[in-house]
Amino acid sequence: MKSYQKLTTAVPQPAACWVEEEGSVPTPASRGKLAPWWVGSGLLVAAVLLSTVTVWVLRQVSGGWPGPTPPPKCLLIPESHRFDCYPERHVVVTQELCESRGCCFIESPLPAGGKQGVPWCFYPPDFPSYTLESLNQTALGMVGLLVRREKTYYPRDIEMLRLDVEFETDTRLHIKITDAANPRYEVPLEVPPVMKRAENPIYSLDFSRNPFGVLLRRKATGTVLLNTTVAPLIFADQFLQISTLLPSKFLYGLGEHRGTLLHSLDWSTLTLWARDVSPTESFNLYGAHPFCLVMEEGGDAHGVFLLNSNAMEVVLQPAPGLTWRTIGGVLDFYIFLGPDPNMVIQQYQQVIGFPAMPPLWALGFHLCRWGYGSSNETWQTVRAMRNYQIPQDAQWNDIDYMDGYRDFTFDPQKFASLPSLVEDLHKHRQRYVMILDPGISSTNPRGSYWPFDEGLRRGLFLNTTQGQPLIGQVWPGFTAFADFSNPDTHQWWLENLQHFHAHVPFDGLWIDMNEPSNFMDGSEDGCPPGELDSPPYTPAVLGDSLSAKTVCASAKQKASVHYNLHNLYGLMEAKATASALIQIRGKRPLVISRSTFPSQGRYSGHWLGDNRSQWKDMYYSIPGLLSFSLFSIPLVGADICGFSGSTSEELCTRWMQLGAFYPFARNHNTQNEKAQDPTVFSPAARTAMKDVLLIRYSLLPFLYTLFHRAHLQGDTVARPLFFEFPRDVATLGLDRQFLWGRSLLVTPVLEPGVDSVTGYFPRGVWYDFYTGSSVNSSGEMLKMSAPLEHLNLHVREGAILPTQKPGTTSEETRGNPLRLIVALSQSATAWGDLFWDDGESLDTFERGSYSYLVFNVTQNIFTSTVLHASAEATEVTIGTLSIFGVRKPPSKVLLNGQEKPFSYLDNEVLTVSDLGLSLSQGFSLQWL
């Protein structure tokens, strides 16, 4: 057996190995060809051998190893490159257990605090793996046969695997490994069909034959992006594992988790298994997103997507290395070559689908709480917001509006006036959103609760292995769970919503508890014995069981068993809900879901769950929303001011400032805590909250255009700084600031008791959003004044932001005059755009019912060009042009050749007001 090879590490390479160049067919003559990366590692190998010998000598001097001296092949592997051979938790791994698996055992010091550390049991270089027996060309790439001749330690090894490689585009590679003989479960996600092989891929692909391994390089730099020869491929029926080295330590994504945006590679495990739990570091949370983005040295980026919905864990280690470990399905990888991070995310969305265009009102301010107690109290809050003229687009209700917490009902006493409240909201051009859960009450007298009776009659619930509805417990008590993998369930869901909408004409839907959550483990009868509920290996899930606070993995669904579909539950419910809203209202839907999976941005947004009213929760919301930008769910935000616990006036003020720049902005609160909507605070705090909401509303044209670009081509809305400055290493770990699009920098205060904030300004000119004063940064941290009433916002040079005089609703705002903010670059140029439609109709871009304008500045001439026009644009005017960075006072300003009054300030801001120009007409403005 030949040793494993490592490309960029200090580990001995085999004496001989061969690789397949991209597109070549293996021939006997190629066996014995040295890998091109072998020669360059000689010095590194020598260094490792020297260090290993040194460690061995020191061990002997200090009394030797605790047990028998490990074999030399084990000593040769540095700690950072030890890939875990015994990942089971709650097992004391002894030398005997480890060696029974054929692995190396070396004890290492345990890290403090119960954290993971260097694995004591790890794969030796000669651990048996698969051999690439054949590799043949296909129209789109290659097909190969992998054979394993020695069994591993998990049951039902699959001895023959099929390898499919498709060169889908010049920047996208598809590698799929599955059972060569028998079909296996695969995620029912529509992916784009590929008709022809990429002609000029920016990557090259090689293979190691024995042991099998994939070696992927970026042609332009030679950087190795994947090297799976570092540990054996394991493919058993319920244990699939593949490891790779990473080209750098800068890795992002892999949700849903609470933590920093940039992951630590210090022996951390990220588990993907949808779970109802308050966001907590190291726990698997509500959604599953097996996608990661890696920044390479020099600023290039690539992404990897594992299309697999089974319980999974991803292990990160300091090599730097990564291990994908899942317990079902197939290994179906898409690799996106970018080369910049924005392009990686666009390429990812070309596979999973671009996000839906939200209605404009979805981008307004939303208000909710659990515990209003009545529709009259809810109404009172709405009236108070209007009284203080604080912007609000939508009022929400949590489960207390329901009758006995049952879906599709409302409390006939406490919420008797709910229909009237919704009617009043609509009169004031506001919207209503209410919560729904997938657990359907199962204990009502027969004939008294149509949703359950009809769902039972049609067979639309998750079933036990015995074919009876699985009964768990959620808010209404005992419940059955809708099976959204069944198309018939979508029709039943629609009919229930139609019945309810006839009484309460809601505008959007909030789908919660859809992991699915269960107050019991499994069901009222537990879960049956068997390898679905008790698999040979259980990933590091919270609760140590797949059924912890959810349904049994063995539950039967129309499309498969819940073991395979669990992580898809929220996606399937979101799809049914968005479809129902479209059919009921005939307009763009707003759905906000707790559980998510790749492609869900096509159907819903997401909020970050049941956070707490704490400063650290406010901070963690930023990496949370930026991660969901990577996951193609741009309509995302956290509960502003915190859901559980009691907020303070200072915390809530700062959080309202940050939350005004969440793409989805909602203040939400739990029951039995004091109210935290803006109206209940002191006049100073209330005014600060109102002011920042007015700023958000003024920026709605800009934000709406960003969502159009997300829908059209996969641009991110809330964006990490490193997306725009990928070669600035100082940005790679930043997650206390973020951008809207490429040009608006948000620097919130995230600590109590301060009146200043420090933020990083990448190289270039940045303008204060409020005053237009400029900062010319060399790429540095700057300290700024930040009194309680102030949020620091800066506009990047070269941008043009379309803004609008704000109203108290998005509908009122959209009728007001526009103000265009021009931030000149150092070469006195700028660019921006504006997408404009009616704000709610379906498929306006696809049908051509929209206006699209491009703004440009060169040589002191501002030009507005209408590239596409619609009737809506004739109703809006451009009132003001503010130009930041005009270095010399102009002598005159010409609008379409006619002189126009203007003002010019010492901070180099030129303002031209009272333009009165129709948005549908192009124009030019020149200053001399």
Side-chain angles (χ1 to χ4, degrees):
M1 176 66 68
K2 295 182 177 69
S3 300
Y4 284 94
Q5 309 110 26
K6 297 181 181 176
L7 295 188
T8 56
T9 67
V11 178
Q13 307 296 336
C17 66
W18 68 272
V19 293
E20 295 305 328
E21 296 299 333
E22 178 238 309
S24 66
V25 180
T27 63
S30 62
R31 292 174 185 272
K33 168 182 164 189
L34 284 178
W37 37 265
W38 187 89
V39 180
S41 62
L43 291 174
L44 292 173
V45 171
V48 162
L49 285 169
L50 181 61
S51 65
T52 303
V53 169
T54 304
V55 169
W56 184 83
V57 169
L58 289 172
R59 287 277 193 178
Q60 302 312 307
V61 171
S62 61
W65 297 89
T69 304
K73 67 179 181 181
C74 299
L75 291 171
L76 284 172
I77 301 177
E79 288 188 346
S80 63
H81 291 70
R82 293 177 183 172
F83 287 83
D84 199 347
C85 176
Y86 216 111
E88 284 81 356
R89 297 193 305 164
H90 311 304
V91 175
V92 177
V93 182
T94 63
Q95 184 165 351
E96 184 180 10
L97 282 174
C98 178
E99 291 178 351
S100 71
R101 293 188 169 185
C103 291
C104 296
F105 183 83
I106 298 178
E107 291 184 32
S108 299
L110 292 172
K115 293 182 179 177
Q116 289 176 271
V118 180
W120 290 10
C121 183
F122 55 94
Y123 295 107
D126 57 356
F127 191 92
S129 186
Y130 286 87
T131 300
L132 179 60
E133 290 289 320
S134 66
L135 190 66
N136 296 297
Q137 293 276 7
T138 65
L140 298 176
M142 305 178 218
V143 62
L145 179 67
L146 309 180
V147 176
R148 172 179 281 284
R149 292 186 169 80
E150 294 185 49
K151 289 188 176 294
T152 60
Y153 41 87
Y154 287 109
R156 298 183 300 284
D157 265 318
I158 297 172
E159 294 174 10
M160 288 198 301
L161 300 175
R162 177 186 169 107
L163 168 71
D164 283 290
V165 177
E166 293 185 350
F167 303 102
E168 294 197 342
T169 72
D170 289 346
T171 56
R172 184 172 85 226
L173 175 66
H174 187 188
I175 300 175
K176 184 174 176 181
I177 303 173
T178 188
D179 190 332
N182 300 294
R184 291 178 61 80
Y185 164 77
E186 296 186 27
V187 181
L189 183 71
E190 291 179 25
V191 294
V194 178
M195 308 312 293
K196 67 171 189 171
R197 177 179 178 142
E199 293 178 2
N200 297 295
I202 65 170
Y203 49 86
S204 64
L205 183 65
D206 302 324
F207 295 99
S208 166
R209 177 186 283 276
N210 186 11
F212 167 72
V214 176
L215 302 145
L216 177 68
R217 289 181 191 78
R218 184 181 297 282
K219 283 182 178 177
T221 60
T223 303
V224 176
L225 308 183
L226 292 180
N227 170 16
T228 70
T229 64
V230 289
L233 166 66
I234 297 179
F235 201 123
D237 183 37
Q238 290 181 274
F239 186 93
L240 292 72
Q241 178 176 282
I242 190 167
S243 301
T244 182
L245 291 180
L246 299 168
S248 83
K249 62 183 180 179
F250 299 106
L251 181 139
Y252 312 83
L254 299 173
E256 180 176 6
H257 297 95
R258 165 177 283 206
T260 55
L261 179 65
L262 174 65
H263 286 300
S264 166
L265 303 191
D266 188 20
W267 304 107
S268 59
T269 297
L270 302 168
T271 305
L272 281 64
W273 183 248
R275 168 67 194 245
D276 172 6
V277 62
S278 294
T280 305
E281 297 88 322
S282 81
F283 288 178
N284 49 295
L285 301 183
Y286 310 106
H289 291 273
F291 168 81
C292 64
L293 175 83
V294 180
M295 292 300 297
E296 304 154 32
E297 304 294 337
D300 288 337
H302 71 275
V304 179
F305 172 40
L306 173 54
L307 180 50
N308 180 294
S309 62
N310 290 88
M312 183 188 305
E313 57 193 17
V314 184
V315 183
L316 307 176
Q317 63 191 78
L322 176 152
T323 297
W324 300 93
R325 189 182 292 142
T326 183
I327 61 171
V330 301
L331 296 176
D332 192 0
F333 288 101
Y334 287 86
I335 302 100
F336 311 99
L337 275 289
D340 77 53
N342 292 290
M343 294 171 74
V344 170
I345 302 306
Q346 290 173 347
Q347 292 156 12
Y348 176 41
Q349 291 172 95
Q350 286 166 7
V351 171
I352 64 170
F354 296 115
M357 182 68 187
L360 178 63
W361 66 266
L363 307 184
F365 179 62
H366 303 254
L367 191 55
C368 185
R369 79 164 299 171
W370 179 20
Y372 282 121
S374 70
S375 48
N376 285 343
E377 190 178 330
T378 309
W379 208 339
Q380 215 169 327
T381 303
V382 173
R383 288 190 184 113
M385 290 285 286
R386 289 179 195 153
N387 185 48
Y388 287 114
Q389 295 184 298
I390 300 172
Q392 182 188 1
D393 257 83
Q395 179 61 49
W396 296 41
N397 276 125
D398 208 319
I399 55 174
D400 46 333
Y401 80 88
M402 298 178 183
D403 186 11
Y405 298 134
R406 292 188 297 272
D407 277 355
F408 315 112
T409 68
F410 64 94
D411 188 312
Q413 274 80 45
K414 294 176 180 174
F415 281 80
S417 62
L418 184 57
S420 300
L421 164 59
V422 175
E423 184 183 356
D424 178 68
L425 287 167
H426 290 164
K427 279 181 182 172
H428 287 83
R429 299 192 283 186
Q430 293 172 301
R431 304 318 200 270
Y432 180 70
V433 181
M434 88 278 185
I435 198 169
L436 280 178
D437 294 338
I440 303 298
S441 176
S442 61
T443 56
N444 308 278
R446 192 176 228 176
S448 67
Y449 186 51
W450 191 86
F452 178 75
D453 294 341
E454 190 63 14
L456 187 65
R457 186 183 73 79
R458 300 187 199 178
L460 305 179
F461 298 121
L462 271 66
N463 283 336
T464 66
T465 54
Q466 305 302 309
Q468 297 300 313
L470 182 147
I471 303 299
Q473 186 175 4
V474 201
W475 295 113
F478 290 112
T479 55
F481 296 87
D483 177 11
F484 290 102
S485 78
N486 186 343
D488 295 340
T489 305
H490 292 217
Q491 178 62 29
W492 163 85
W493 193 245
L494 167 64
E495 290 169 22
N496 278 293
L497 287 167
Q498 285 172 328
H499 296 156
F500 191 72
H501 192 268
H503 299 284
V504 180
F506 55 84
D507 301 285
L509 290 168
W510 170 23
I511 50 177
D512 191 14
M513 307 291 284
N514 54 351
E515 291 72 31
S517 178
N518 185 0
F519 297 163
M520 299 174 160
D521 289 349
S523 77
E524 61 178 343
D525 300 316
C527 296
E531 290 194 326
L532 292 178
D533 292 299
S534 302
Y537 179 81
T538 300
V541 296
L542 178 63
D544 301 319
S545 164
L546 297 183
S547 63
K549 295 296 178 278
T550 188
V551 300
C552 298
S554 58
K556 293 181 177 179
Q557 296 188 237
K558 177 79 171 180
S560 187
V561 289
H562 193 73
Y563 181 90
N564 294 326
L565 300 178
H566 174 83
N567 282 340
L568 299 174
Y569 194 91
L571 167 63
M572 291 176 167
E573 186 193 12
K575 193 172 181 178
T577 306
S579 173
L581 271 171
I582 289 169
Q583 292 179 72
I584 290 168
R585 298 181 68 247
K587 297 174 182 177
R588 273 177 247 162
L590 171 66
V591 180
I592 297 294
S593 175
R594 192 166 73 180
S595 190
T596 58
F597 190 81
S599 80
Q600 192 146 341
R602 296 167 61 186
Y603 312 107
S604 85
H606 173 64
W607 95 105
L608 296 172
D610 295 340
N611 61 2
R612 303 165 188 84
S613 297
Q614 296 176 5
W615 289 90
K616 74 167 187 175
D617 286 65
M618 178 167 61
Y619 153 66
Y620 276 128
S621 72
I622 300 177
L625 74 94
L626 294 178
S627 291
F628 273 87
S629 288
L630 270 60
F631 302 147
S632 182
I633 304 179
L635 190 63
V636 60
D639 285 343
I640 297 171
C641 300
F643 173 70
S644 66
S646 188
T647 193
S648 68
E649 181 163 291
E650 182 190 11
L651 172 61
C652 200
T653 303
R654 293 300 195 191
W655 209 329
M656 283 289 292
Q657 290 168 345
L658 168 59
F661 286 84
Y662 293 157
F664 168 62
R666 182 187 69 164
N667 179 317
H668 180 43
N669 192 8
T670 191
Q671 61 179 354
N672 304 320
E673 293 288 352
K674 62 185 181 184
Q676 62 186 36
D677 63 84
T679 69
V680 302
F681 293 102
S682 71
R686 185 173 66 238
T687 300
M689 295 178 187
K690 175 181 175 179
D691 287 348
V692 78
L693 287 176
L694 288 170
I695 292 165
R696 178 191 180 87
Y697 274 65
S698 75
L699 284 160
L700 284 179
F702 175 57
L703 181 61
Y704 193 64
T705 301
L706 291 177
F707 269 94
H708 166 68
R709 297 176 70 86
H711 170 64
L712 187 64
Q713 62 193 40
D715 287 4
T716 52
V717 176
R719 190 171 301 178
L721 272 75
F722 76 83
F723 269 49
E724 290 299 316
F725 303 92
R727 284 169 175 72
D728 183 348
V729 293
T731 65
L732 295 179
L734 294 180
D735 58 9
R736 300 173 73 86
Q737 298 167 273
F738 58 96
L739 294 160
W740 265 12
R742 62 180 302 275
S743 51
L744 184 63
L745 177 62
V746 184
T747 308
V749 171
L750 302 172
E751 296 166 342
V754 299
D755 59 6
S756 65
V757 65
T758 301
Y760 183 75
F761 285 75
R763 177 181 292 276
V765 176
W766 296 84
Y767 296 93
D768 184 293
F769 173 80
Y770 308 96
T771 67
S773 296
S774 64
V775 173
N776 195 342
S777 173
S778 60
E780 56 199 306
M781 299 293 292
L782 296 175
K783 185 176 181 180
M784 297 166 283
S785 174
L788 190 59
E789 69 276 6
H790 184 71
L791 171 70
N792 278 279
L793 296 173
H794 290 83
V795 185
R796 182 182 178 184
E797 63 170 297
I800 299 176
L801 305 188
T803 72
Q804 203 159 20
K805 180 184 176 184
T808 55
T809 66
S810 61
E811 222 170 293
E812 181 189 339
T813 300
R814 62 176 277 112
N816 291 339
L818 288 161
R819 174 191 174 213
L820 305 179
I821 298 175
V822 179
L824 293 178
S825 70
Q826 293 170 77
S827 57
T829 61
W831 187 93
D833 61 346
L834 172 65
F835 177 81
W836 192 270
D837 63 8
D838 69 7
E840 62 179 7
S841 293
L842 293 163
D843 303 322
T844 55
F845 178 77
E846 292 76 5
R847 291 187 291 104
S849 301
Y850 68 95
S851 294
Y852 181 68
L853 290 80
V854 167
F855 310 118
N856 207 30
V857 174
T858 53
Q859 298 178 333
N860 293 1
I861 301 173
F862 175 98
T863 307
S864 173
T865 306
V866 181
L867 296 184
H868 194 279
S870 66
E872 285 80 16
T874 61
E875 301 163 9
V876 184
T877 59
I878 297 174
T880 305
L881 206 57
S882 295
I883 306 169
F884 300 166
V886 178
R887 292 178 186 168
K888 296 177 183 175
S891 59
K892 60 181 173 180
V893 169
L894 303 176
L895 174 63
N896 293 331
Q898 302 294 312
E899 271 203 56
K900 196 75 179 158
F902 65 92
S903 67
Y904 180 81
L905 301 178
D906 290 343
N907 63 347
E908 303 182 341
V909 174
L910 167 66
T911 301
V912 188
S913 303
D914 302 319
L915 293 173
L917 295 163
S918 171
L919 189 61
S920 61
Q921 299 295 314
F923 70 93
S924 67
L925 185 139
Q926 182 178 16
W927 57 99
L928 303 169

